[in-house]
Amino acid sequence: MACWYEGPLAAFDTETTGVDVETDRIVSAAVVVQDGPGARPRVRRWLVNPGVPVPAGATEVHGLTQEHLQRNGRWPAPVMYEIADALAEQAVVGRPLVVMNAPFDLTILDRELRRHRASSLDRWFESSPLLVLDPRVLDKHLDRYRKGRRTLTDLCAHYEVSLEGAHDAGADALAALEVVRAVGRRFAARLERLSAAELHTLQAVWHAAQARGLQAWFARSGTEETVDPAWPLRPDLPAAA
């Protein structure tokens, strides 16, 4: 039987109005499904009119202006339902879902569901659990002493994965998927005996350890920033917008 990194994978990515999962909004999203290495990916995209101003800084990143989203984007409520449903489809068939920096994308989707659907992301996975593969967590654990940043662009360069059209949700999702395949092959001796379900559980432990390490570094450098150890979804906060 082929290892998980040589089998079917899906990937999810969002573009947003900012980096605060509690207050910022999704403006575009994509789910990519690939049946195997080299297979033609199937991409489903969503464009959202968030109903709030889109900061110029966000537009500089993903290129989506407020005017464009108002003309071409859909209202968030049905879109968030469709995205959650698309992710649930992956869980039902047991297809692992690649999400780069999963606590951001999955949490902001959860907050959008709470905001617009009076629901939560967990409700979509009550019968079939989501199996998440996070290239950032995997790479940091498996190659922990490598220096340098670990953004998606950095990981693509390190693992020799093509990234065309960065900060487009579809392009980023596909690149993250290919990075996970590359990580699997490079560290096959340590990963090939693990199932995606086992890796999902291990990544929660690895991410928590990584968060503690980063928190300690912040403390030593006098930075007051707090690092959330939760993975792949941050718990709900009463003050969520």
Side-chain angles (χ1 to χ4, degrees):
M1 181 179 294
C3 300
W4 56 264
Y5 51 83
E6 301 292 0
L9 293 176
F12 171 60
D13 189 70
T14 66
E15 296 299 331
T16 65
T17 60
V19 297
D20 189 330
V21 296
E22 304 298 337
T23 59
D24 281 306
R25 311 296 174 92
I26 293 173
V27 296
S28 71
V31 171
V32 174
V33 177
Q34 189 183 47
D35 293 328
R40 184 180 181 88
R42 303 187 296 278
V43 184
R44 187 175 180 186
R45 302 173 184 272
W46 293 268
L47 195 65
V48 186
N49 177 359
V52 299
V54 179
T59 297
E60 289 178 7
V61 172
H62 49 58
L64 298 171
T65 65
Q66 184 167 326
E67 293 74 17
H68 178 76
L69 293 169
Q70 288 174 339
R71 288 196 307 269
N72 302 288
R74 296 169 57 203
W75 188 242
V79 171
M80 301 311 152
Y81 183 94
E82 291 173 12
I83 295 172
D85 219 36
L87 300 188
E89 289 177 9
Q90 312 312 313
V92 167
V93 299
R95 186 180 292 120
L97 182 72
V98 175
V99 190
M100 174 72 184
N101 191 18
F104 178 82
D105 290 86
L106 295 181
T107 303
I108 200 168
L109 174 58
D110 175 79
R111 302 311 191 251
E112 289 278 50
L113 288 166
R114 293 172 186 270
R115 184 178 294 119
H116 297 291
R117 304 290 310 191
S119 184
S120 68
L121 187 58
D122 284 337
R123 292 180 60 182
W124 263 263
F125 307 106
E126 290 174 345
S127 58
S128 300
L130 190 62
L131 304 177
V132 178
L133 299 171
D134 188 331
R136 186 169 182 268
V137 174
L138 291 171
D139 176 70
K140 287 183 71 175
H141 177 78
L142 295 164
D143 198 0
R144 67 183 68 184
Y145 299 113
R146 188 179 82 248
K147 295 182 178 180
R149 287 154 42 93
R150 302 188 193 231
T151 66
L152 179 59
T153 300
D154 298 317
L155 294 184
C156 285
H158 181 71
Y159 289 99
E160 299 181 342
V161 169
S162 174
L163 175 55
E164 298 180 3
H167 299 297
D168 168 84
D172 286 357
L174 180 58
L177 186 154
E178 295 293 355
V179 166
V180 162
R181 292 199 191 279
V183 169
R185 295 181 189 119
R186 184 167 299 186
F187 297 98
R190 299 166 65 182
L191 295 176
E192 61 185 358
R193 295 186 180 181
L194 295 170
S195 68
E198 290 169 327
L199 264 180
H200 179 100
T201 300
L202 286 169
Q203 285 170 102
V205 177
W206 296 344
H207 178 271
Q210 293 163 9
R212 289 193 298 270
L214 183 57
Q215 192 70 73
W217 185 85
F218 282 153
R220 291 193 299 271
S221 63
T223 302
E224 296 182 357
E225 185 173 346
T226 300
V227 184
D228 195 323
W231 183 96
L233 181 66
R234 297 175 188 169
D236 184 39
L237 298 177

